[in-house]
Amino acid sequence: MEVFQAFHMRGGVGETSYAQNSFVQLNLIRMTKPIWVQAMTKLINYYSTFPTTLAMADLGCSSGPNTLYVVSELIKVVDKMRQELGCQSPEYQVLLSDLPGNDFNSVFRSLAGFQEKLKKELGSGSGPCFFSGVPGSFYHRLFTGKSLHFVHSSYSLHWLSQVPKGLETNKGSISVSSSSPPDVIKAYQEQFQHDFSMFLMSRSKELVAGGRMVLTFLGRSGDDPSTKECCYIWELLALALNDLVSKGLIEEEKMDSFNLPLYSPSPTEVKSEILKEGSFDIDALEVNKVILNGQPDPNELSLHNLLNDGGYTAAKCIRAVTEPWLAGHFGEAIIDQVFEHYREIVGDRMSKEQREIVNITLSLIKC
């Protein structure tokens, strides 16, 4: 399957849609709010006069309540600053981009209500917002040269432009895992390096000098790409699929030929590609470990209240993200069984052991 055509979150507003099962991502986005608020504040302070227009792009916007959350909060930051300085509000251009299969219709239907709510919150002094949907891959150019002031992307860049080639030996796994041979890990690493370099190169042509970019994606804290902190949830999904193979419900050849276009990089890998590309300065790089279950540690970010429910929430979240890709390979008929079994596995494992995921958040400045 081609990622460009086939990959997208589950659309609509139904029980298994991304819109109804993306609150974990929303909580994680809120955790990074100080970074993107600071980036926008520094951007406005960079200019000698208050800007009259401000163009912002959200890459991997998806659909649902998360799509416009960051945009609305950033507009509030700018509006507060212009009031404090006694300046006229800029006009806002908001560019929402995702792959063509994204449910843009749901996004467009939500805009009128969003604009009305924002106008009530900010008052008549706030400038108008002009929205555009931009279908396409962020691993290529999406916008005209030097047209953007701010770029945001959350939980998208760990998805690759394609499944790496040469994964025939990754039998029983669906991405990098503790059982993946070295050639498979190398293939995923090289695909990430190529893709992230293309992403940076494309954005370097689209952002104005001094423009800001804040990126958050799933990663890992150390050098080992097969560590459980980045592979655990996907290894459990592979376990569910393999169990269905053993029951004769999925063909073994189908399982062996299935891999996700997914890679969780380390901070070292991320920094290396930024330095090699050369168009951005790193203003901030934060690595946060987020506890998924167990008793909360007051010194750690925790989602334990959301995910300690016998695996139901975790299964629905992963289904909303992966169902179109899985259904395209294995067929629609098996999906309910896959995720019911996945829920059972996740519920059992999370009741016995504490697990965490790692977020990498970058704040970059266009040179």
Side-chain angles (χ1 to χ4, degrees), residues 218-239:
L218 292 176
R220 64 182 196 271
S221 58
D223 292 331
D224 182 5
S226 62
T227 179
K228 285 193 178 295
E229 69 181 6
C230 62
C231 300
Y232 184 68
I233 56 176
W234 311 111
E235 288 184 350
L236 296 187
L237 181 55
L239 180 59

Side-chain angles (χ1 to χ4, degrees), residues 11 20 115 158 181 191 196 214 250 255 259 265 282 313 326 328 361:
Q20 295 295 327
Q115 298 245 48
H158 46 266
Q191 188 67 52
F196 193 46
V214 178
I250 291 176
M255 178 63 198
N259 287 283
I282 300 175
T313 296
L326 286 162
T361 302

Side-chain angles (χ1 to χ4, degrees), residues 1 16 59 62 104-105 129 134 137 185 197 221 223 229 235 239 283 295 298-299 316 329 341 356 361:
M1 289 186 293
T16 60
L59 307 184
S62 194
F104 281 105
N105 285 336
C129 299
V134 185
S137 169
I185 293 174
S197 174
S221 58
D223 292 331
E229 69 181 6
E235 288 184 350
L239 180 59
D283 187 47
Q295 294 301 313
N299 298 314
K316 287 197 292 184
H329 187 84
H341 192 38
E356 58 193 16
T361 302

Side-chain angles (χ1 to χ4, degrees), residues 189 192-194 196-198 200 217 220 223 263 265-280 282 285 360 362 364:
Q189 287 175 319
F192 169 77
Q193 291 163 3
H194 172 270
F196 193 46
S197 174
M198 292 300 295
L200 293 170
F217 40 93
R220 64 182 196 271
D223 292 331
Y263 183 74
S266 69
T268 300
E269 287 175 302
V270 171
K271 284 190 285 188
S272 175
E273 292 307 314
I274 294 169
L275 292 174
K276 277 196 292 184
E277 197 279 329
S279 298
F280 294 91
I282 300 175
L285 190 159
I360 296 176
L362 288 162
L364 304 178

Side-chain angles (χ1 to χ4, degrees), residues 95-112:
L95 302 150
L96 303 172
S97 182
D98 211 319
L99 293 174
N102 184 54
D103 188 3
F104 281 105
N105 285 336
S106 291
V107 176
F108 297 150
R109 282 193 292 268
S110 71
L111 290 179

Side-chain angles (χ1 to χ4, degrees), residues 40-333:
M40 178 58 80
T41 303
K42 288 182 176 181
L43 172 67
I44 300 301
N45 287 332
Y46 171 80
Y47 295 105
S48 56
T49 58
F50 209 85
T52 56
T53 61
L54 196 62
M56 299 181 284
D58 195 297
L59 307 184
C61 65
S62 194
S63 60
N66 299 1
T67 298
L68 298 171
Y69 171 72
V70 174
V71 168
S72 66
E73 294 302 305
L74 288 174
I75 290 174
K76 291 173 188 176
V77 170
V78 177
D79 197 67
K80 181 181 178 183
M81 292 182 72
R82 69 96 185 166
Q83 290 187 57
E84 291 173 349
L85 295 170
C87 297
Q88 187 173 346
S89 174
E91 294 185 342
Y92 300 98
Q93 183 179 19
V94 179
L95 302 150
L96 303 172
S97 182
D98 211 319
L99 293 174
N102 184 54
D103 188 3
F104 281 105
N105 285 336
S106 291
V107 176
F108 297 150
R109 282 193 292 268
S110 71
L111 290 179
F114 170 82
Q115 298 245 48
E116 185 178 349
K117 180 182 177 184
L118 193 64
K119 188 173 181 179
K120 286 181 180 178
E121 291 179 355
L122 299 182
S124 58
S126 180
C129 299
F130 302 97
F131 289 86
S132 299
V134 185
S137 169
F138 51 47
Y139 292 121
H140 302 286
R141 288 286 303 276
L142 291 167
F143 312 106
T144 55
K146 296 181 174 61
S147 62
L148 301 178
H149 300 95
F150 195 98
V151 171
H152 174 263
S153 181
S154 186
Y155 295 96
S156 297
L157 279 163
H158 46 266
W159 296 108
L160 303 173
S161 68
Q162 64 179 39
V163 175
K165 294 179 172 57
L167 302 185
E168 292 79 12
T169 58
N170 203 35
K171 296 183 186 300
S173 298
I174 60 173
S175 62
V176 174
S177 71
S178 56
S179 62
S180 295
D183 62 314
V184 168
I185 293 174
K186 183 181 179 183
Y188 270 102
Q189 287 175 319
E190 290 178 348
Q191 188 67 52
F192 169 77
Q193 291 163 3
H194 172 270
D195 286 351
F196 193 46
S197 174
M198 292 300 295
F199 176 88
L200 293 170
M201 192 181 305
S202 297
R203 302 297 82 74
S204 73
K205 292 178 172 62
E206 296 163 352
L207 275 159
V208 299
R212 296 278 175 156
M213 185 158 64
V214 178
L215 314 172
T216 298
F217 40 93
L218 292 176
R220 64 182 196 271
S221 58
D223 292 331
D224 182 5
S226 62
T227 179
K228 285 193 178 295
E229 69 181 6
C230 62
C231 300
Y232 184 68
I233 56 176
W234 311 111
E235 288 184 350
L236 296 187
L237 181 55
L239 180 59
L241 291 167
N242 280 308
D243 284 350
L244 295 181
V245 170
S246 68
K247 295 176 181 178
L249 298 174
I250 291 176
E251 295 176 16
E252 188 172 1
E253 289 147 359
K254 278 273 189 184
M255 178 63 198
D256 288 342
S257 63
F258 179 76
N259 287 283
L260 289 169
L262 173 78
Y263 183 74
S264 300
S266 69
T268 300
E269 287 175 302
V270 171
K271 284 190 285 188
S272 175
E273 292 307 314
I274 294 169
L275 292 174
K276 277 196 292 184
E277 197 279 329
S279 298
F280 294 91
D281 290 329
I282 300 175
D283 187 47
L285 190 159
E286 290 193 6
V287 179
N288 291 314
K289 292 186 177 183
V290 183
I291 298 170
L292 292 178
N293 62 327
Q295 294 301 313
D297 182 336
N299 298 314
E300 296 282 354
L301 301 173
S302 178
L303 293 174
H304 72 289
N305 288 331
L306 290 174
L307 297 178
N308 270 358
D309 62 355
Y312 283 96
T313 296
K316 287 197 292 184
C317 288
I318 297 301
R319 178 171 183 166
V321 170
T322 61
E323 180 174 350
W325 191 253
L326 286 162
H329 187 84
F330 296 108
E332 294 275 359

